[in-house]
């Protein structure tokens, strides 16, 4: 697989096979190769960090989704609210019934 | 087992609303005034019952108790379940508001059927009452699953497939509810048998 490391290794191994003919030219050529090798290294490190950060972000997103689900679960407040509504409505109906049967008797 | 918003076609949703309101009116008329405290307690129990989860592999299903509500309340069961479902939809976000009519039919009709069947087969002995309670408790959930499949069939799903999945997924619920109904009927028969007299016999 053509990873930046492999590319860096290949570009590093190339100049060792060459014998420096003219000192000036060879020096700049190997200089450029070294710089590009360093660039490759830096690029490789950046990509490694990027993959690490992406993984952590995915983990955080999963935690947020789980948290949202936990928060939206019906809590004790909703239970009491519902029971209150039920008792209240049926209580009103009971009251009306009592008044009707009170008037009849 | 509650249907959410947007699943059912509009005609089905509106139609089930109409039928639900008609059945609610009928059920309210059949409710006797001195039964109202019992209705309140059973409705509260139904409302809270869906918070009890039964784990099923990766997910979980929750208790429904339409059968027990039907056994205890008889004809009043429909308004009790409709009210419980309405509050569940508003407060717990269980099921959509537009699907309230369909959900009420899905839970209310099994409740009424369970009540009628319990009335038919309950006999006079403790054993027959408990057996009838168990059968009606389990039958309530089964009928709810079948009606769910019917409703989803109107929105284009495969009826048999959905029915199979719903029933298999709720098999533990069916068993647990049969047991709970049996224990409840047994306890009430021994302690306060008047509570088992539904609106049918009490009115006659």
């Amino acid at each position: 697989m053509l990873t930046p490391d492999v590319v860096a290794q290949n570009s590093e191994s190339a100049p060792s096979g060459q014998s420096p003919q003219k000192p000036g030219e060879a020096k700049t050529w190997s200089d450029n190769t070294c710089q590009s090798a360093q660039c490759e290294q830096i690029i490789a490190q950046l990509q490694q960090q990027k993959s690490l950060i992406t993984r952590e972000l995915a983990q955080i997103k999963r935690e947020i989704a789980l948290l949202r689900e936990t928060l939206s679960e019906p809590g004790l407040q909703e239970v009491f609210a519902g029971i209150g509504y039920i008792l209240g409505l049926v209580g009103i109906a009971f009251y009306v019934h009592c008044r009707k049967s009170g008037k009849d008797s | 087992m509650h249907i959410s918003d947007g699943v059912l076609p509009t005609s089905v949703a509106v139609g089930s609303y109409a039928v639900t309101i008609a059945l609610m009116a009928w059920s309210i008329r059949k409710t006797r005034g001195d039964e109202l405290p019992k209705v309140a307690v059973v409705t509260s129990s139904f409302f809270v019952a869906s918070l009890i989860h039964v784990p099923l592999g990766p997910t979980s299903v929750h208790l429904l108790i339409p059968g027990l509500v039907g056994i205890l309340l008889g004809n009043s069961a429909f308004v009790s379940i409709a009210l419980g479902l309405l509050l569940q939809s508003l407060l717990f976000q269980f099921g959509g508001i537009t699907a309230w009519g369909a959900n009420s039919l899905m839970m209310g009709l099994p409740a009424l059927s369970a009540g009628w069947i319990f009335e038919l087969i309950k006999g006079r002995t403790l054993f027959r009452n408990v057996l009838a309670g168990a059968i009606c408790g389990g039958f309530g959930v089964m009928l709810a699953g079948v009606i769910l499949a019917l409703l989803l069939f109107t929105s284009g799903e495969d009826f048999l497939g959905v029915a199979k999945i719903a029933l298999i997924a709720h098999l533990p619920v069916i068993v647990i509810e049969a047991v709970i109904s049996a224990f409840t009927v047994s306890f009430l028969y021994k302690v306060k048998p008047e509570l088992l007299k539904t609106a049918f016999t009490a009115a006659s």
Side-chain angles (χ1 to χ4, degrees), chain B residues 68 71 129-131 133-134 137 177-187:
Chain B
L68 189 56
I71 291 173
N129 270 290
V130 170
L131 189 63
E177 291 204 11
V179 169
I180 290 180
S181 308
F183 271 105
T184 310
V185 170
S186 153
F187 176 74

Side-chain angles (χ1 to χ4, degrees), chain B residues 37-195:
Chain B
K38 184 166 124 183
V39 170
V41 172
V42 175
T43 310
S44 306
S45 314
F46 172 75
F47 172 71
V48 175
S50 61
L51 293 176
I52 302 176
H53 289 276
V54 178
L56 186 79
T59 78
S60 61
V61 289
H62 56 79
L63 285 193
L64 303 159
I65 60 171
L68 189 56
V69 172
I71 291 173
L72 291 174
L73 294 183
N75 280 333
S76 319
F78 194 85
V79 65
S80 160
I81 283 187
L83 180 60
L85 282 174
L86 180 66
L87 286 170
Q88 275 180 357
S89 166
L90 288 174
L91 292 169
F92 294 170
Q93 281 89 44
F94 275 13
I97 263 297
T98 60
W100 172 66
N103 283 324
S104 301
L105 286 180
M106 179 172 71
M107 290 282 141
L109 292 177
L112 290 176
S113 319
W116 291 331
I117 293 177
F118 181 74
E119 203 50 42
L120 278 176
I121 67 177
K122 74 175 179 187
R124 283 177 211 277
T125 63
L126 171 68
F127 177 72
R128 271 198 69 167
N129 270 290
V130 170
L131 189 63
I135 292 176
C136 295
F139 173 72
V141 181
M142 278 200 288
L143 193 54
V146 170
I147 299 184
L148 171 72
L150 257 173
L151 286 169
L152 290 180
F153 173 67
T154 63
S155 78
E157 301 273 345
D158 165 38
F159 171 72
L160 279 180
V162 175
K164 242 190 294 182
I165 295 178
L167 287 175
I168 292 178
H170 283 85
L171 213 51
V173 176
I174 292 177
V175 170
I176 292 178
E177 291 204 11
V179 169
I180 290 180
S181 308
F183 271 105
T184 310
V185 170
S186 153
F187 176 74
L188 287 177
Y189 187 86
K190 287 185 237 175
V191 172
K192 201 163 172 124
E194 308 90 68
L195 280 179

Side-chain angles (χ1 to χ4, degrees), chain A residues 74 78-79 82 86 90 93-94 97, chain B residues 33 36 40 43 47 51 87 91-92:
Chain A
E78 281 85 14
V79 172
I86 291 170
V90 179
F94 198 40
H97 163 78
Chain B
L36 282 173
T43 310
F47 172 71
L51 293 176
L87 286 170
L91 292 169
F92 294 170

Side-chain angles (χ1 to χ4, degrees), chain A residues 37-104:
Chain A
Q38 280 179 355
C39 281
E40 301 290 355
Q41 264 188 353
I42 293 174
I43 290 176
Q45 283 177 350
L46 282 175
Q47 286 186 334
Q48 214 179 10
Q49 282 184 346
K50 179 181 165 196
S51 72
L52 278 174
I53 289 180
T54 316
R55 224 178 302 155
E56 287 198 14
L57 270 178
Q59 208 180 350
I60 290 181
K61 280 190 195 158
R62 249 178 283 148
E63 283 185 21
I64 291 182
L66 200 61
L67 194 65
R68 192 177 294 152
E69 206 192 298
T70 321
L71 277 178
S72 70
E73 270 174 6
L76 207 54
Q77 285 178 337
E78 281 85 14
V79 172
F80 280 118
I83 296 182
Y85 264 108
I86 291 170
L87 294 179
L89 287 170
V90 179
I92 291 175
F94 198 40
Y95 171 71
V96 167
H97 163 78
C98 282
R99 281 200 53 169
K100 248 195 285 182
S101 54
K103 271 197 200 141
D104 288 340

